């Protein structure tokens, strides 16, 4: 029984099969057949070609047939590729192409290039200097002028929406003191006024000063700190600022003139003492057994020509002796002191062997 040789894979299969069992290719009409017990593989002739009656096992794509075809294919020697050079840029040409002389770089061209670069850099520097000195100030001034209106228009836009007062920080008062260091004021006339000078710490405190009098029938005080005498007596003026308070004692003493009798009102003459009688009685008048005391021992006078009259307990001012150790500052007469200039003076009050010193400060 003959077998069919597949043209694709070279597999031999039964003649009765319709296709190759390996590659499943249908049997062609001109497919090669071979006897089941004979495998013909005749040797090729010595000339290297296959005879016309030779039978080859396997299909046309089998390895053995491919190798045989490759062996029988003529070999062509490929010409060796010539390297391309400057002298012969086209190796396939008959002869070298004549480029002529190879151009050489000129030194003058290099120098010109360097000079050109230097000139360009110099021009750039000069241009930058001119721009900085002549154009840049004008540009900056113009930008400031254009920016100024925008700054000026900012406050009006913010003004309606802000209560500026509420945003300010509060600075509490931490201390109060009198500018002259004294907490006493003497007023000797009805309607006489005195301005209280208070030093507030800190000076920029947001707290306000308030004044009030403990007895308005003696003295009154306004919102500016001006004290006015309205009646005789003593009162205290209180100054408050925040949580701080300061007090000042005010004494109102109105001087009254003692009535004097004119001589001869009743048509008679005043009795006169015999010569020498008064001189003998004064030294022999016994001193009162009392302690010498004065109502104040330290006062301050601030107004030019201001006066103050002291009072002696149990005695009249004429019964004691008054002296000032510095009449250029203060003078005294029968207990009434008068301010002359700035400074401090001591007033000495004597009665018998008793002595009291009063300090008078003049601001």
């Amino acid at each position: 029984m003959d077998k069919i040789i597949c043209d694709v894979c070279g597999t031999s299969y039964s003649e009765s099969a319709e296709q190759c069992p390996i590659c499943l290719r249908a049997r062609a009409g001109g497919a090669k057949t071979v006897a089941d017990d004979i495998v013909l593989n005749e040797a090729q002739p010595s000339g290297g070609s296959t005879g016309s009656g030779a039978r080859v096992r396997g299909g046309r794509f089998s390895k053995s047939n491919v190798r045989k075809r490759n062996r029988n294919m003529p070999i062509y020697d490929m010409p060796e590729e010539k390297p391309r050079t400057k002298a012969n840029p086209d190796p396939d040409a008959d002869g070298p192409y004549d480029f002529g002389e190879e151009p050489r770089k000129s030194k003058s061209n290099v120098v010109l290039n360097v000079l050109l670069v230097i000139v360009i850099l110099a021009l750039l520097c000069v241009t930058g200097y001119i721009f900085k000195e002549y154009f840049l100030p004008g540009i900056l001034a113009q930008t400031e002028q254009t920016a100024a209106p925008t700054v000026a228009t900012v406050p009006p836009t913010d003004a309606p929406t802000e209560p500026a007062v509420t945003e300010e920080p509060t600075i509490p008062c931490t201390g109060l003191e009198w500018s002259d260091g004294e907490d006493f004021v003497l007023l000797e006339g009805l309607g006489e006024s005195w301005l209280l000078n208070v030093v507030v710490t800190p000076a920029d405190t947001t707290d306000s000063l308030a004044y009030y009098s403990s007895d308005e029938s003696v003295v009154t005080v306004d919102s500016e700190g001006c004290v006015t005498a309205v009646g005789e007596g003593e009162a205290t003026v209180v100054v408050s600022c925040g949580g701080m308070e300061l007090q000042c004692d005010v004494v109102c003493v109105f001087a009254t003139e003692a009535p004097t009798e004119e001589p001869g009102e009743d048509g008679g003459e005043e009795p006169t003492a015999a010569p020498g009688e008064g001189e003998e009685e004064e030294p022999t008048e016994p001193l009162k057994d009392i302690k010498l005391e004065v109502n104040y021992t330290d006062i301050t006078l601030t107004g030019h020509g201001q006066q103050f009259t002291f009072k002696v307990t149990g005695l009249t001012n004429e019964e004691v002796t008054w002296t000032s150790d510095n009449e250029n500052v203060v003078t005294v007469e029968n207990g009434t002191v008068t301010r002359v200039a700035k400074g401090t003076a001591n007033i000495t009050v004597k009665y018998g062997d008793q002595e009291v010193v009063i300090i008078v400060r003049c601001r």
Side-chain angles (χ1 to χ4, degrees):
M1 183 178 181
D2 295 335
K3 290 187 177 182
I4 305 300
I5 298 176
C6 179
D7 294 338
V8 177
C9 63
T11 303
S12 61
Y13 56 92
S14 175
E15 185 179 10
S16 61
E18 296 296 331
Q19 60 183 5
C20 178
I22 302 301
C23 64
L24 302 179
R25 182 178 178 81
R27 185 178 64 181
K32 296 180 181 181
T33 60
V34 64
D36 188 21
D37 54 350
I38 299 174
V39 177
L40 298 177
N41 189 9
E42 297 180 355
Q44 296 181 359
S46 59
S49 60
T50 305
S52 59
R55 293 183 180 181
V56 181
R57 178 176 292 183
R60 63 181 178 212
F61 296 106
S62 63
K63 293 182 180 180
S64 59
N65 293 335
V66 171
R67 284 196 296 267
K68 289 178 181 179
R69 285 197 300 269
N70 290 339
R71 284 198 300 266
N72 296 330
M73 184 180 294
I75 300 174
Y76 297 96
D77 294 334
M78 297 298 293
E80 183 178 0
E81 185 178 357
K82 298 180 182 180
R84 186 181 297 272
T85 62
K86 291 182 180 181
N88 189 12
D90 187 5
D92 297 333
D94 295 339
Y97 181 80
D98 188 7
F99 284 97
E101 246 179 76
E102 184 178 357
R104 297 182 181 179
K105 293 182 180 180
S106 176
K107 293 183 179 180
S108 60
N109 293 339
V110 176
V111 175
L112 289 176
N113 292 335
V114 173
L115 292 177
L116 182 61
V117 171
I118 293 174
V119 170
I120 293 173
L121 293 176
L123 290 175
L124 291 176
C125 293
V126 172
T127 304
Y129 176 79
I130 293 173
F131 177 78
K132 178 181 177 182
E133 294 295 328
Y134 297 99
F135 294 98
L136 185 59
I139 295 173
L140 294 177
Q142 185 177 2
T143 55
E144 290 179 359
Q145 292 177 358
T146 55
T150 59
V151 176
T153 56
V154 170
T157 58
D158 295 341
T161 60
E162 64 170 357
V165 176
T166 58
E167 295 181 359
E168 293 181 359
T170 57
I171 304 174
C173 176
T174 58
L176 292 174
E177 62 179 353
W178 302 112
S179 61
D180 54 4
E182 296 295 332
D183 56 355
F184 172 77
V185 175
L186 174 64
L187 301 177
E188 297 180 310
L190 181 63
E192 184 178 353
S193 60
W194 178 268
L195 182 63
L196 298 175
N197 295 320
V198 183
V199 178
V200 182
T201 304
D204 58 347
T205 180
T206 55
D207 296 333
S208 58
L209 288 171
Y211 302 85
Y212 64 91
S213 172
S214 63
D215 189 353
E216 292 190 349
S217 63
V218 178
V219 292
T220 59
V221 59
D222 60 10
S223 60
E224 300 296 330
C226 183
V227 179
T228 304
V230 295
E232 289 189 329
E234 297 182 1
T236 301
V237 175
V238 180
V239 184
S240 64
C241 183
M244 307 299 295
E245 284 191 356
L246 193 62
Q247 296 183 356
C248 177
D249 295 331
V250 181
V251 177
C252 297
V253 179
F254 303 152
T256 57
E257 296 181 359
T260 57
E261 295 181 358
E262 296 182 0
E265 287 183 357
D266 54 357
E269 295 181 358
E270 294 182 356
T272 57
E277 290 182 0
E279 296 178 0
E280 294 177 359
E281 292 178 358
E282 286 182 1
T284 59
E285 183 180 355
L287 298 176
K288 296 179 181 181
D289 187 12
I290 60 175
K291 183 180 178 181
L292 180 61
E293 292 182 353
V294 186
N295 55 350
Y296 296 103
T297 58
D298 191 341
I299 66 170
T300 301
L301 304 176
T302 57
H304 180 70
Q306 184 179 0
Q307 293 182 339
F308 178 76
T309 302
F310 293 96
K311 293 182 179 181
V312 182
T313 304
L315 297 171
T316 62
N317 290 348
E318 289 77 9
E319 291 178 329
V320 295
T321 305
W322 305 82
T323 57
S324 172
D325 66 347
N326 189 354
E327 293 187 351
N328 293 327
V329 176
V330 175
T331 60
V332 61
E333 183 179 357
N334 292 332
T336 300
V337 293
T338 304
R339 181 186 182 278
V340 178
K342 291 183 179 181
T344 303
N346 294 328
I347 305 299
T348 304
V349 184
K350 288 184 179 182
Y351 181 71
D353 56 354
Q354 299 183 57
E355 182 177 307
V356 176
V357 178
I358 303 172
I359 301 175
V360 180
R361 310 172 193 275
C362 298
R363 304 298 183 186

